[in-house]
């Protein structure tokens, strides 16, 4: 059938429109739409949309006809959708206030078509013009959250983690407490992957661990992958008390014993000294962002191992010279000093630097207990003096002083 003949059908509908009721005219347009979709004639579909969005048909018809158009659009191939949908969106633009839902559906199909073709950034940008803050009540809060999650997913797949983070935060703003489990799960997965990509490894490790425990919701085959991701992120995280607790949680999880890198997890949990050659196999499993340089000096893994080894050394030594520390870490003396200084400033290790004699003094758990005992003893002495002064001024309270001294003797026995 020639294009002219098909176009004449649109013209015929328009010509006979004045003689037909709107309901009958709507059926004619729907019938023609289905034929054009079936024949995948994009050129004629553009003409159909142009007529439907014009002022030539009754004002009540564009909304239902474009709703039908947005539904059947998915029957086309991705390349055909990419060719047709932008024209439809441009024509709808002038009537957006009354065709909001249709605009959303068409954008969703177009974004999916771009994603199928590997054009994730274009997919994301197709959805970003949707004014979620000002949409009508027809679009629920849950749907708004889902749209933001979809945009975040597209941006993330397009290696735009910053934009993905922006939209995943918007999703959290819209997400209702009663949102479907599937939507909540998508949100958590994207948010966790963004944390990982942004090298927030400690938070990512705990988020991956949480996801790995959702049996019955997450596919069984994905649970160990998520757990493995948790272990990887924990190993790459900055050394310190929080990381030690995270390593402990993972080490005690029976499932981690079946993972490829359990030996590295165990050594780090046990605060054993680690050489870079011990983590070669682990390094090969890392993703590109996990192999990036930190401050232009070390890779993420190298820094994680260095910081871990500082903690391991602190468990073995009360103090150590800068020179010996640098030798054990395998880095220049100044870098070793700066590394420890940064860990001290960030409260990730308890130590002091004697820069005059170039010695690091580590504070052990025993030191902490002794310091606490000294503080308790000092408090008791102050109280003893205060009670004595009160008893001297008020003799009638002498029995209170006797009872206080008895209590102090009991406390002293436990110090």
């Amino acid at each position: 059938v020639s294009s002219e003949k098909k176009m004449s059908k649109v013209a015929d509908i328009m010509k006979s429109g004045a003689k037909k009721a709107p309901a009958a005219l709507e059926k004619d347009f729907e019938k023609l739409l289905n034929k054009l979709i079936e024949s995948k004639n994009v050129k004629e579909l553009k003409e159909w949309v142009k007529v439907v969005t014009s002022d030539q048909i009754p004002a009540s018809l564009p909304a239902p006809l474009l709703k039908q158009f947005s539904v059947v659009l998915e029957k086309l191939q991705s390349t055909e959708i990419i060719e047709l949908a932008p024209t439809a969106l441009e024509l709808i633009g002038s009537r957006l206030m009354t065709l909001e839902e249709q605009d959303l559906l068409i954008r969703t199909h177009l974004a999916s078509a771009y994603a199928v073709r590997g054009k994730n950034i274009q997919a994301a940008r197709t959805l970003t013009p949707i004014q979620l803050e000002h949409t009508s009540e027809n679009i629920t809060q849950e749907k708004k959250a889902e749209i933001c999650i979809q945009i975040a997913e597209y941006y993330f797949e397009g290696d735009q983690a910053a934009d993905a983070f922006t939209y995943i935060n918007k999703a959290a703003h819209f997400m209702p407490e009663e949102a479907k489990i599937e939507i909540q799960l998508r949100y958590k997965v994207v948010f966790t992957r963004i944390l990982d990509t942004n090298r927030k490894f400690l938070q990512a490790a705990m988020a991956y661990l949480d996801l790995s425990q959702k049996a019955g919701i997450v596919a069984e085959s994905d649970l160990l992958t998520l757990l493995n991701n948790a272990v990887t992120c924990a190993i790459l995280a900055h050394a310190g008390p929080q990381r030690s607790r995270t390593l402990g949680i993972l080490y005690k999880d029976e499932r981690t014993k079946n993972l490829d890198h359990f030996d590295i997890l165990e050594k780090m949990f046990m605060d054993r000294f680690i050489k870079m050659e011990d983590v070669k196999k682990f390094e090969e499993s890392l993703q590109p962002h996990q192999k990036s340089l930190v401050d232009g000096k070390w890779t993420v893994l190298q820094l994680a191992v260095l910081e871990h080894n500082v903690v391991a050394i602190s468990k073995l030594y009360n103090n150590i010279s800068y020179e010996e520390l640098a030798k054990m870490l395998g880095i220049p003396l100044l870098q070793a000093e700066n590394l420890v200084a940064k860990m001290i400033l960030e409260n990730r290790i308890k130590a002091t630097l004697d820069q005059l004699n170039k010695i690091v003094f580590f504070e052990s758990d025993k030191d902490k207990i002794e310091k606490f005992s000294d503080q308790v003893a000092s408090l008791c002495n102050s109280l003893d003096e205060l009670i004595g002064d009160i008893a001297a001024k008020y003799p009638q309270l002498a029995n209170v002083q006797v009872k206080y001294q008895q209590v102090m003797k009991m406390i002293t026995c436990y110090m």
Side-chain angles (χ1 to χ4, degrees), residues 50 58 81 129 140 145 148 157 172 213 237 251 306 336 378 385 392:
K50 192 178 294 184
I81 294 174
T140 64
C148 288
E157 293 300 328
Q213 294 169 335
Y251 180 74
L306 285 170
S378 176
E385 291 176 9

Side-chain angles (χ1 to χ4, degrees), residues 350-363:
K350 296 294 183 183
T352 55
L353 298 177
D354 182 345
Q355 293 182 313
L356 184 62
N357 297 304
K358 296 189 180 302
I359 298 174
V360 183
F361 290 91
F362 297 110
E363 185 179 305

Side-chain angles (χ1 to χ4, degrees), residues 107-158:
R107 286 186 182 279
T108 302
H109 289 313
L110 178 57
S112 297
Y114 278 132
V116 168
R117 310 297 295 180
K119 299 179 179 180
N120 289 293
I121 301 301
Q122 285 177 273
R125 289 174 180 168
T126 298
L127 298 179
T128 52
I130 300 169
Q131 298 296 316
L132 296 173
E133 298 286 354
H134 308 292
T135 52
S136 68
E137 294 181 359
N138 292 332
I139 302 177
T140 64
Q141 292 295 99
E142 181 176 275
K143 183 62 179 179
K144 292 176 184 179
E146 187 177 9
I147 292 167
C148 288
I149 293 168
Q150 184 67 79
I151 294 171
E153 288 172 339
Y154 286 144
Y155 271 130
F156 186 82
E157 293 300 328

Side-chain angles (χ1 to χ4, degrees), residues 71-118:
V71 171
V72 299
L73 187 62
E74 65 180 352
K75 294 182 179 181
L76 299 177
Q77 298 295 320
S78 60
T79 52
E80 295 162 347
I81 294 174
I82 290 170
E83 184 182 351
L84 172 62
T87 300
L89 292 172
E90 184 180 352
L91 292 168
I92 286 174
S94 59
R95 298 187 175 200
L96 191 56
M97 292 295 291
T98 56
L99 299 173
E100 185 181 74
E101 187 179 357
Q102 292 83 344
D103 178 81
L104 172 59
L105 286 170
I106 294 170
R107 286 186 182 279
T108 302
H109 289 313
L110 178 57
S112 297
Y114 278 132
V116 168
R117 310 297 295 180

Side-chain angles (χ1 to χ4, degrees), residues 8 71 105 118 130 154 179 209 229 231 242 250 279 310 313 326 351 358 360 371 373 396 415:
S8 68
V71 171
L105 286 170
I130 300 169
Y154 286 144
L209 176 61
N229 290 346
V231 170
Q242 288 185 318
L250 289 167
V279 292
V310 170
I313 290 169
K358 296 189 180 302
V360 183
K371 185 183 287 186
S373 297
Q396 66 271 30
M415 290 177 60

Side-chain angles (χ1 to χ4, degrees), residues 261-403:
H261 306 302
F262 176 75
D263 57 331
I264 305 297
L265 172 65
E266 184 174 46
K267 285 180 180 179
M268 288 197 161
F269 172 67
M270 297 293 185
D271 290 324
R272 296 173 187 163
F273 196 86
I274 295 175
K275 296 179 181 179
M276 280 306 299
E277 49 262 36
D278 296 335
V279 292
K280 284 292 182 185
K281 184 179 177 183
F282 173 75
E283 186 175 22
E284 292 171 0
S285 70
L286 297 179
Q287 298 177 43
H289 72 274
Q290 296 169 335
K291 297 180 180 180
S292 58
L293 287 177
V294 180
D295 298 330
K297 287 184 291 190
W298 302 302
T299 65
V300 173
L301 178 58
Q302 286 172 334
L303 180 59
V305 171
L306 285 170
E307 290 185 347
H308 166 79
N309 284 339
V310 170
V311 174
I313 290 169
S314 74
K315 305 294 182 182
L316 299 173
Y317 294 82
N318 291 324
N319 58 75
I320 188 172
S321 68
Y322 288 6
E323 184 179 356
E324 185 62 24
L325 176 65
K327 185 178 178 181
M328 291 185 71
L329 294 177
I331 59 177
L333 188 147
L334 182 60
Q335 288 186 1
E337 179 187 3
N338 290 339
L339 179 65
V340 175
K342 186 177 182 182
M343 293 179 71
I344 293 171
L345 285 172
E346 294 174 352
N347 292 317
R348 294 191 285 119
I349 191 170
K350 296 294 183 183
T352 55
L353 298 177
D354 182 345
Q355 293 182 313
L356 184 62
N357 297 304
K358 296 189 180 302
I359 298 174
V360 183
F361 290 91
F362 297 110
E363 185 179 305
S364 66
D365 292 336
K366 183 179 178 182
D367 293 333
K368 295 176 189 175
I369 294 171
E370 288 177 354
K371 185 183 287 186
F372 176 72
S373 297
D374 290 341
Q375 290 171 339
V376 173
S378 176
L379 176 62
C380 290
N381 289 333
S382 298
L383 285 172
D384 194 34
E385 291 176 9
L386 178 63
I387 294 294
D389 291 342
I390 294 172
K393 190 171 182 179
Y394 304 98
Q396 66 271 30
L397 297 177
N399 61 328
V400 174
Q401 184 181 20
V402 173
K403 289 181 179 179

